[in-house]
Amino acid sequence: MLLSLMILSCDKKSKIEKAVEAIPVQLKVHRFEKAFFGATPQTLGQVKQAYPFFFPPGNDDSVWLDKIQNPQWRELYSEVEKRYADFSTQTQETEDLFRHIKYYFPKTPLPQVYTIIAEMDYQTKIIYTRDKLIIPLELYLGRDHRFYEFPKYLKEGFEPRQMMPDIVSAYARTQVPPPSNAAFLDELIYQGKMLYLKDILLPDYTDAERMGYTANQIKWSQENEAYVWRYFIERNLLYSTEQKLLSRFVYMAPFSKFYLEIDNESPGRIGSWIGWQIVRSYMKNNDVSLQTMLSTDAKQIFEQSHYKPKKDE
């Protein structure tokens, strides 16, 4: 019986992937950082004309020329060029991602893709609008790059492999309705919906890559799932509107804050991980479309998910 279910599951997946592969997607990639740092006083005007949205009004050309010639910016550009002079692999990966997006969200228009070098804004990272996808390459040089003077938990997200999951995160914000209530459960389900999109849009990625965790952090989450859930239930946190719960269990952090000895062992954002498991359980136990799930409120998803975490070993 188990073998039959596995075969059916594989057949279903292969049918979806075959349909995805047949979707025509060709993205136009604009290498803005190359054009900008390759500009001269004579050619800067041409760059500004080609990319007006990267040049807010009120700045004299001397501001841009100073940046182009600044040794630190030149060094950063050089490091980005070492890794991304050829962007063809990432272009193919992005096109494959948008094939999956077009399969599940056919009305999504294909954006123009722009690679840039920005201010290392790790909180924003990828910028996605309906017609533009902006990728700051300085944030994907590898966790051990000498330029990254950030805490370890943030540097894990600077791996090149995190580029596609970050694009999905940016895209998901345009498709997943924000929480309608301030309850902790609503935020967990919202985060779970966002992560579930990574399940279907990035089928070849691991849970660690989708979540931005290390393999050990995923292992900890799985082994302690029942404990974390019991902690939430016993303290009546699900319907609490205390905002501190978000910084304790949802937002980026070196660890989650139970205020117990396990804190230093736990990964940050464990609440988001729990929300992901609830949404997965809901989709497994209910015959509903992706769009229906995305528009269903948190309480209903929770009640109909029949979520039962694995018991502690």
Side-chain angles (χ1 to χ4, degrees), residues 26 35 40 42 46 59 99 101 105 109 135 158 183 198-199 252 257 267 282 285 298 300 303-304:
Q26 187 171 7
T40 66
Q42 292 73 34
Q46 299 171 20
N59 290 314
R99 287 188 187 92
I101 289 174
F105 303 93
I135 304 173
F158 296 162
K198 295 183 181 181
D199 282 337
M252 290 287 292
K257 300 176 182 66
Y282 173 79
N285 293 311
Q300 183 177 339
E303 291 174 347
Q304 296 179 355

Side-chain angles (χ1 to χ4, degrees), residues 242-261:
E242 184 183 347
Q243 288 299 296
K244 286 184 179 180
L245 292 174
L246 303 185
S247 59
R248 289 174 63 189
F249 299 113
V250 174
Y251 297 157
M252 290 287 292
F255 50 83
S256 294
K257 300 176 182 66
F258 299 90
Y259 304 135
L260 297 169
E261 289 184 7

Side-chain angles (χ1 to χ4, degrees), residues 137-283:
L137 296 179
E138 83 280 2
L139 290 175
Y140 300 98
L141 297 176
R143 66 170 71 88
D144 296 323
H145 197 280
R146 58 190 171 88
F147 285 170
Y148 294 149
E149 297 180 355
F150 296 102
K152 182 180 179 181
Y153 77 96
L154 290 176
K155 291 194 286 187
E156 293 294 337
F158 296 162
E159 286 294 297
R161 183 75 171 168
Q162 279 300 301
M163 191 181 295
M164 295 305 122
D166 285 345
I167 292 175
V168 176
S169 293
Y171 177 76
R173 284 191 284 272
T174 70
Q175 298 298 323
V176 181
S180 56
N181 298 300
F184 186 46
L185 176 65
D186 286 74
E187 185 66 31
L188 298 189
I189 300 302
Y190 172 71
Q191 297 294 332
K193 289 178 178 181
M194 300 272 283
L195 286 161
Y196 187 80
L197 286 189
K198 295 183 181 181
D199 282 337
I200 62 172
L201 298 179
L202 297 171
D204 296 329
Y205 278 61
T206 66
D207 278 4
E209 290 167 336
R210 292 167 181 154
M211 186 74 190
Y213 274 2
T214 64
N216 284 337
Q217 288 174 323
I218 285 291
K219 182 180 179 183
W220 188 97
S221 303
Q222 293 169 338
E223 292 177 347
N224 292 275
E225 181 178 356
Y227 173 81
V228 173
W229 183 243
R230 189 167 66 250
Y231 181 95
F232 289 170
I233 295 298
E234 290 178 351
R235 287 160 179 78
N236 299 312
L237 299 186
L238 292 189
Y239 296 100
S240 170
T241 57
E242 184 183 347
Q243 288 299 296
K244 286 184 179 180
L245 292 174
L246 303 185
S247 59
R248 289 174 63 189
F249 299 113
V250 174
Y251 297 157
M252 290 287 292
F255 50 83
S256 294
K257 300 176 182 66
F258 299 90
Y259 304 135
L260 297 169
E261 289 184 7
I262 67 167
D263 281 11
N264 289 332
E265 301 173 11
S266 70
R269 300 185 296 137
I270 193 64
S272 299
W273 191 85
I274 291 290
W276 189 14
Q277 309 319 306
I278 295 173
V279 172
R280 281 175 161 177
S281 183
Y282 173 79
M283 292 302 286

